[in-house]
Amino acid sequence: MRRTVIAGNWKMNMTPSQTAAFIKELAPCVAGKDACDIVLCVPYVDIATAVEAAKGTNIKIGAENVHFEEKGAYTGEVSCAMLKEIGAEYVIIGHSERRQYFGETDTTVNLRTKAALAAGFKAIVCLGEVKDERLAGITDEIVSMQTKLDLAGISAEDLKNVIIAYEPVWAIGTGLTATPEQADETCGVIRKTIADLYGDEAAEAITIQYGGSMNDKNAAELLAKVNVDGGLIGGASLKVDAFTAIVDAANA
Ligand code: PEP
C-alpha cells in the first residue's frame, strides 16, 4: 500500500527560533500518529534548527527547493550536497509559486528532480492547472503533460522516491479548495499517466498528494478519496492545532 504523506510548506515564514518553538509544540501532538509520514518543508535558514528540534520525533524535515548544479557561480542558489549535510530528507520541487514568480519551467523542474533523486532525497514534485485551464476544460491534458515533462528520464527505481503534489494553482493560498471529487479525479488522471509511463504497479505505489487550501475542516473529506494520498499544506501548516488536525484526519 502506498504511504500517506502530510507535508507542510512553510514558504517564506518562520525564523529559526520560531521554528524550534513550533516543532517543540508540534512533536507531542503528532507522536505515534504513524499512519502517515509527517514532513515540514521549511526555509533554507531554518533547516538545521528544524532537524535538531525534530530529532527523536516522527517529524521529517525538507527544503522548499534545490538547485540542479553541484556547485559554482549560481548566486543565491543552494545545492543538494548543502541540504544533505544539514539533514534535510525531502525537497519540494516546482511549486506553483516558483513557476509563477521565479521562472521555473517543466524543464528546470525536471533537472531539479533528477538532481534531488540522485542525491538521495525524496522529491515532492508539484504540478497543477491554472484557473483558465480548468475553465477551458483542459485540466487533464495539462496535468498529464506536466507529469510527463517533469518526470522525463527518471527511472522506475528513482520514481520510488518521488511524491507528486497535485496543486490546482487557483486553490493555493486562496481559500478556494478543489472539491474532493475534483481532487480525486485529477489525482486519478496523474496516476493513469504514471501507469502509461511506468506500468500499473508503479502507479499504484506512488503517493499523490492534494494541495490547495487543505485545512483542518476539509482534510478528512479530501483524504478519504482513493486517489488522494496525503496533502501538501501551506497556510494551515503554520498553526500547530490545524496541522495536528490534518495529521489526525490521516490517522483516522
Ligand atoms: C502550498 O503551499 O503548496 C499550498 C497548498 O498552500 P495553501 O495550503 O496555503 O493553499
Side-chain angles (χ1 to χ4, degrees):
M1 261 311 274
R2 49 187 181 255
R3 274 305 269 174
T4 297
V5 180
I6 301 296
N9 171 20
W10 279 4
K11 312 193 185 196
M12 197 172 72
N13 292 291
M14 300 273 197
T15 65
S17 61
Q18 290 169 334
T19 298
F22 184 97
I23 294 176
K24 195 171 170 206
E25 194 184 335
L26 177 69
C29 301
V30 298
K33 297 178 180 172
D34 293 332
C36 63
D37 291 337
I38 303 168
V39 184
L40 290 177
C41 294
V42 304
Y44 291 134
V45 295
D46 295 334
I47 291 173
T49 305
V51 168
E52 186 57 34
K55 263 191 195 141
T57 76
N58 56 344
I59 302 167
K60 307 261 189 258
I61 303 303
E64 297 175 14
N65 196 12
V66 70
H67 195 53
F68 45 85
E69 295 292 349
E70 274 179 33
K71 60 179 172 177
Y74 303 101
T75 302
E77 292 293 331
V78 166
S79 74
C80 289
M82 294 170 188
L83 294 178
K84 271 263 134 178
E85 193 168 314
I86 56 170
E89 293 180 65
Y90 289 73
V91 60
I92 295 174
I93 296 172
H95 191 277
S96 71
E97 287 150 19
R98 299 295 318 169
R99 294 178 189 250
Q100 194 177 345
Y101 305 131
F102 302 102
E104 293 276 348
T105 63
D106 288 308
T107 304
T108 59
V109 171
N110 177 248
L111 288 170
R112 289 177 204 272
T113 303
K114 283 180 180 157
L117 294 171
F121 289 102
K122 288 196 184 297
I124 301 176
V125 179
C126 304
L127 53 92
E129 81 286 3
V130 299
K131 190 174 170 198
D132 285 350
E133 292 164 342
R134 180 155 284 269
L135 292 177
I138 56 170
T139 297
D140 294 3
E141 288 87 340
I142 293 294
V143 298
S144 177
M145 182 189 68
Q146 288 177 328
T147 303
K148 288 178 190 160
L149 293 173
D150 295 350
L151 299 181
I154 289 167
S155 69
E157 194 51 33
D158 278 346
L159 188 75
K160 292 177 182 162
N161 288 315
V162 172
I163 294 164
I164 305 276
Y166 164 57
E167 301 209 297
V169 178
W170 48 270
I172 298 176
T174 57
L176 297 172
T177 316
T179 64
E181 291 68 30
Q182 286 172 326
D184 190 43
E185 192 186 324
T186 310
C187 288
V189 170
I190 296 167
R191 202 176 302 285
K192 166 81 173 59
T193 308
I194 301 277
D196 292 344
L197 293 170
Y198 293 95
D200 290 344
E201 208 177 305
E204 277 308 307
I206 194 165
T207 294
I208 304 179
Q209 301 172 310
Y210 167 78
S213 300
M214 186 184 274
N215 58 41
D216 47 337
K217 311 271 182 311
N218 59 26
E221 256 196 308
L222 287 160
L223 295 172
K225 290 295 178 190
V226 67
N227 280 305
V228 177
D229 311 317
L232 182 59
I233 299 130
S237 73
L238 295 165
K239 297 173 205 137
V240 169
D241 52 355
F243 193 65
T244 300
I246 296 170
V247 170
D248 285 342
N251 278 264

